[in-house]
Amino acid sequence: MKHFIVVCVIFWTCTYQVMSRTLSESSVAKTHEQWMSKHQRSYTDEAEKQKRFKIFMENLEYIEKFNNAENTSYKMGLNQFSDLTDQEFIASHTIKVSSPLVSDSSSDTIPLNLTGIPSNFDWRDKGAVTAVKDQGVCSSCWAFTSVAAIEGLVRIKTNKLISLSEQQLVDCNRENDGCHEGNMDVAFKYIITNQGIASEIDYPYEGSVETCRSKMKRPAVKISGFIDVTPNSEKHLLQAVATQPVSVYVAINDNFRQYRSGIFEGPCGTDLNHAVTVIGYGTSQDGTKYWLVKNSWSQGWGENGYMRLLRESGQPGGVCGLAKAPSYPTM
C-alpha cells in the first residue's frame, strides 16, 4: 500500500493530518519544506538541515502513532517546535522553579465557598484576556503568566484591558532570573515594591535579558498584594478562577509541547518547569471537565495558543501539577 500524508494549509495555519501508518521520506521532506516556509526556519548548512530533518521526521512519526491510537482525548500536531528534540526543547523553553510557594505577609488564603459558581466560565468572554503572546526562546513564561493575571485583574476592576510589560520583569526583577528561572509570587512582590508595572507599549518585549531601563518603567497599573491558592486543591483553584485569571505552574513534556487540540490528560513531566494562566473552565459534550489554559507560545500552538486540560482527574495536584502552587494578584 502506498504510504502518504495529507497536508492541509489554511491561510497562515497548517493542520497536519497523517493518514499512513508509516511515512515515506519523500513525503516528509515535502512537509518539512512547507513547515520551514511557514515558520521562516533556515539552517546554517546542509548537515544541520539533515539533522533537523531527521528530528522532524521522528517527531512526525510520534505524532502519527499517537493520533492513530484509539481512545485519545486529544490530538498532537506539528508546530514551531517540531525540529527540536524533547531534551532541546526542555533546555531552551522551560524554567527552573525554586520554592514555588512564597510565604509573605502580602499572601493570604481564602476559605472554600463554591456557592453560586457557574459550571462553565471563560474570562475571554468578559474581555479580560489579552491576545496570546510569544515568549520566543527566552524561558520567561513566569513573567508572561504574572502579567496575564494582572491584565485580567485590571480589566475586572477598572474595565480597561491593558497589555503589560513582560520585558520589564525580565530586565528589572533581579530576584527572578530572566530567561532561566522565575517565580510568580516573586514577580508580584517586585511589582508591589516598584509601585506598578509598565505597559507593553512603553516597555516592549525583546525576548532576551537587557539592561533595566528606568525611563521605560512608567507604571501603567499597580497591585496591592497576591493570594496563594490552597495547594493541591482543584476546588480552591476553581473558586479562584471564577474570580479572576490565575497563574499556575505545570510539568510539561513532549506530548504537552506537541499538543494540537482536545482535552489534554497527560502524560506530563515530573517536575514543575513551565508557567501558564488558567483563564476559565468548562465541560465537554461528553461530560469531561477541563481547565482553559492560556500559554505564551504564540497562537500557532495548541488551540490558537490555548489548551484544554483535564480537570478533576483525581491526580494529586491535578494533571501536570497545575494545582500545586497557583497564585493571583490583588488590587
Side-chain angles (χ1 to χ4, degrees):
M1 181 180 292
K2 184 178 180 180
H3 304 311
F4 60 95
I5 181 170
V6 177
V7 181
C8 301
V9 182
I10 304 177
F11 296 103
W12 293 104
T13 63
C14 294
T15 301
Y16 297 87
Q17 298 176 320
V18 183
M19 305 300 291
S20 62
R21 290 292 175 181
T22 59
L23 300 174
S24 70
E25 187 167 328
S26 61
S27 65
V28 178
K30 182 178 179 180
T31 302
H32 184 230
E33 292 292 338
Q34 293 171 331
W35 175 89
M36 288 177 61
S37 176
K38 170 181 167 57
H39 295 286
Q40 299 182 329
R41 190 67 52 87
S42 61
Y43 303 112
T44 55
D45 52 36
E46 187 62 26
E48 177 67 13
K49 183 177 181 180
Q50 288 304 311
K51 175 185 176 181
R52 292 299 156 191
F53 171 73
K54 181 180 179 182
I55 295 169
F56 180 89
M57 187 170 184
E58 290 172 351
N59 283 330
L60 188 56
E61 288 176 339
Y62 180 72
I63 291 168
E64 178 198 41
K65 182 178 180 180
F66 180 89
N67 288 348
N68 284 331
E70 296 181 358
N71 301 320
T72 58
S73 63
Y74 66 96
K75 297 297 182 182
M76 295 194 294
L78 296 175
N79 56 34
Q80 67 267 43
F81 309 125
S82 295
D83 66 346
L84 300 176
T85 67
D86 193 26
Q87 294 76 17
E88 287 173 330
F89 176 79
I90 293 297
S92 61
H93 287 82
T94 61
I95 60 172
K96 178 182 178 183
V97 178
S98 59
S99 303
L101 286 176
V102 175
S103 178
D104 186 271
S105 59
S106 63
S107 178
D108 200 357
T109 57
I110 303 296
L112 182 65
N113 181 3
L114 299 179
T115 303
I117 289 180
S119 57
N120 296 275
F121 197 81
D122 186 342
W123 280 110
R124 291 174 295 185
D125 296 337
K126 304 295 183 179
V129 183
T130 58
V132 172
K133 303 178 184 181
D134 188 358
Q135 69 187 61
V137 296
C138 174
S139 297
S140 52
C141 54
W142 60 271
F144 279 82
T145 185
S146 301
V147 160
I150 297 171
E151 290 169 343
L153 175 63
V154 170
R155 167 65 179 181
I156 293 164
K157 294 294 187 179
T158 70
N159 205 34
K160 297 179 181 179
L161 185 63
I162 305 171
S163 185
L164 300 174
S165 174
E166 294 85 9
Q167 190 67 40
Q168 181 182 344
L169 293 177
V170 170
D171 291 347
C172 308
N173 185 193
R174 297 305 185 188
E175 292 185 22
N176 281 318
D177 187 10
C179 295
H180 302 288
E181 182 176 350
N183 182 301
M184 286 89 79
D185 284 4
V186 172
F188 294 145
K189 288 168 61 179
Y190 162 80
I191 295 168
I192 295 166
T193 303
N194 187 66
Q195 297 295 308
I197 184 170
S199 70
E200 186 174 24
I201 292 176
D202 285 342
Y203 205 141
Y205 188 66
E206 297 185 35
S208 60
V209 180
E210 307 294 337
T211 301
C212 182
R213 286 153 284 186
S214 58
K215 291 183 179 180
M216 300 168 66
K217 288 168 54 180
R218 296 185 294 272
V221 301
K222 298 179 180 181
I223 61 173
S224 59
F226 60 90
I227 301 291
D228 285 329
V229 179
T230 300
N232 300 316
S233 171
E234 289 195 77
K235 289 184 178 180
H236 279 89
L237 179 57
L238 181 71
Q239 175 179 264
V241 174
T243 304
Q244 64 191 88
V246 176
S247 297
V248 301
Y249 297 101
V250 286
I252 67 171
N253 64 355
D254 206 27
N255 286 42
F256 192 105
R257 71 156 167 137
Q258 298 189 112
Y259 166 81
R260 168 64 64 186
S261 63
I263 299 176
F264 188 81
E265 60 182 7
C268 304
T270 57
D271 299 314
L272 298 176
N273 58 1
H274 188 50
V276 294
T277 312
V278 183
I279 54 96
Y281 55 86
T283 305
S284 67
Q285 291 184 346
D286 66 2
T288 304
K289 296 180 179 179
Y290 59 83
W291 297 106
L292 287 170
V293 173
K294 181 187 183 184
N295 205 348
S296 52
W297 293 345
S298 84
Q299 295 182 15
W301 177 86
E303 295 181 332
N304 298 315
Y306 294 88
M307 167 184 274
R308 285 177 290 162
L309 193 149
L310 183 64
R311 177 164 58 98
E312 297 184 13
S313 64
Q315 299 179 34
V319 173
C320 298
L322 92 162
K324 286 186 176 181
S327 60
Y328 58 90
T330 59
M331 292 180 73

